[in-house]
Short mmCIF file of all heavy atoms in Angstrom, two decimals:
data_model
loop_
_atom_site.label_atom_id
_atom_site.label_comp_id
_atom_site.label_asym_id
_atom_site.label_seq_id
_atom_site.Cartn_x
_atom_site.Cartn_y
_atom_site.Cartn_z
N ARG A 69 -12.54 40.52 -0.33
CA ARG A 69 -12.48 39.45 -1.21
C ARG A 69 -11.28 39.43 -2.15
O ARG A 69 -11.09 38.60 -2.94
CB ARG A 69 -13.77 39.36 -1.95
CG ARG A 69 -14.89 38.83 -1.13
CD ARG A 69 -16.15 38.93 -1.83
NE ARG A 69 -16.71 40.21 -1.32
CZ ARG A 69 -17.62 41.00 -1.86
NH1 ARG A 69 -18.20 40.64 -2.98
NH2 ARG A 69 -18.04 42.17 -1.47
N MET A 70 -10.41 40.55 -1.92
CA MET A 70 -9.35 40.61 -2.76
C MET A 70 -8.13 39.78 -2.28
O MET A 70 -8.04 39.73 -1.10
CB MET A 70 -8.98 41.99 -2.93
CG MET A 70 -9.98 43.00 -3.53
SD MET A 70 -10.30 42.51 -5.38
CE MET A 70 -8.90 42.89 -6.09
N GLU A 71 -7.28 39.32 -3.14
CA GLU A 71 -6.05 38.64 -2.68
C GLU A 71 -5.00 39.52 -2.68
O GLU A 71 -4.75 40.38 -3.62
CB GLU A 71 -5.71 37.44 -3.71
CG GLU A 71 -6.75 36.42 -3.65
CD GLU A 71 -6.16 34.90 -3.72
OE1 GLU A 71 -4.97 34.86 -4.06
OE2 GLU A 71 -6.88 34.00 -3.59
N ILE A 72 -4.10 39.29 -1.80
CA ILE A 72 -2.90 40.05 -1.55
C ILE A 72 -1.71 39.24 -2.08
O ILE A 72 -1.62 38.06 -1.67
CB ILE A 72 -2.73 40.57 -0.13
CG1 ILE A 72 -3.75 41.50 0.47
CG2 ILE A 72 -1.28 41.16 0.10
CD1 ILE A 72 -3.67 41.85 1.79
N SER A 73 -0.91 39.77 -2.81
CA SER A 73 0.19 38.99 -3.49
C SER A 73 1.18 38.41 -2.33
O SER A 73 1.38 39.01 -1.34
CB SER A 73 1.09 39.89 -4.51
OG SER A 73 1.85 40.70 -3.78
N GLY A 74 1.93 37.33 -2.73
CA GLY A 74 2.76 36.84 -1.80
C GLY A 74 3.95 37.69 -1.32
O GLY A 74 4.50 37.74 -0.24
N ARG A 75 4.39 38.46 -2.30
CA ARG A 75 5.36 39.46 -2.08
C ARG A 75 4.99 40.56 -1.00
O ARG A 75 5.79 40.79 -0.04
CB ARG A 75 5.87 40.26 -3.34
CG ARG A 75 6.93 41.18 -3.08
CD ARG A 75 7.21 42.02 -4.45
NE ARG A 75 6.01 42.81 -4.93
CZ ARG A 75 5.53 43.88 -4.39
NH1 ARG A 75 6.28 44.48 -3.39
NH2 ARG A 75 4.55 44.46 -4.88
N VAL A 76 3.78 41.05 -1.12
CA VAL A 76 3.29 41.94 -0.15
C VAL A 76 3.13 41.19 1.30
O VAL A 76 3.27 41.90 2.39
CB VAL A 76 1.99 42.70 -0.66
CG1 VAL A 76 1.40 43.57 0.45
CG2 VAL A 76 2.28 43.42 -1.89
N VAL A 77 2.59 39.98 1.26
CA VAL A 77 2.37 39.33 2.40
C VAL A 77 3.65 39.17 3.22
O VAL A 77 3.78 39.37 4.49
CB VAL A 77 1.64 37.94 2.21
CG1 VAL A 77 1.70 37.10 3.44
CG2 VAL A 77 0.22 38.20 1.72
N ARG A 78 4.67 38.82 2.50
CA ARG A 78 6.09 38.61 3.10
C ARG A 78 6.57 40.00 3.63
O ARG A 78 7.09 40.09 4.73
CB ARG A 78 6.96 38.10 2.07
CG ARG A 78 8.44 37.83 2.67
CD ARG A 78 9.49 37.71 1.62
NE ARG A 78 10.81 37.55 2.23
CZ ARG A 78 11.54 38.55 2.71
NH1 ARG A 78 10.94 39.81 2.65
NH2 ARG A 78 12.65 38.28 3.36
N GLU A 79 6.34 41.02 2.93
CA GLU A 79 6.80 42.37 3.28
C GLU A 79 6.11 42.67 4.66
O GLU A 79 6.88 43.26 5.49
CB GLU A 79 6.45 43.40 2.33
CG GLU A 79 6.92 44.87 2.59
CD GLU A 79 6.43 45.83 1.43
OE1 GLU A 79 6.84 45.51 0.32
OE2 GLU A 79 5.85 46.79 1.88
N MET A 80 4.82 42.53 4.77
CA MET A 80 4.13 42.85 5.91
C MET A 80 4.52 41.99 7.02
O MET A 80 4.81 42.55 8.27
CB MET A 80 2.58 42.73 5.78
CG MET A 80 1.95 43.78 5.04
SD MET A 80 0.17 43.80 5.13
CE MET A 80 -0.26 42.56 3.98
N LEU A 81 4.76 40.70 7.00
CA LEU A 81 5.01 39.83 8.14
C LEU A 81 6.55 39.88 8.48
O LEU A 81 6.89 39.84 9.62
CB LEU A 81 4.45 38.43 7.76
CG LEU A 81 3.04 38.22 7.68
CD1 LEU A 81 2.86 36.77 7.37
CD2 LEU A 81 2.33 38.52 8.93
N VAL A 82 7.40 39.87 7.48
CA VAL A 82 8.83 39.80 7.78
C VAL A 82 9.46 41.13 7.90
O VAL A 82 10.05 41.57 8.93
CB VAL A 82 9.55 38.98 6.65
CG1 VAL A 82 11.04 39.03 6.76
CG2 VAL A 82 8.99 37.57 6.46
#
Side-chain angles (χ1 to χ4, degrees):
R69 285 171 268 160
M70 298 296 291
E71 291 219 354
I72 298 177
S73 74
R75 181 186 58 80
V76 174
V77 170
R78 185 197 175 281
E79 180 182 303
M80 281 192 282
L81 295 177
V82 176

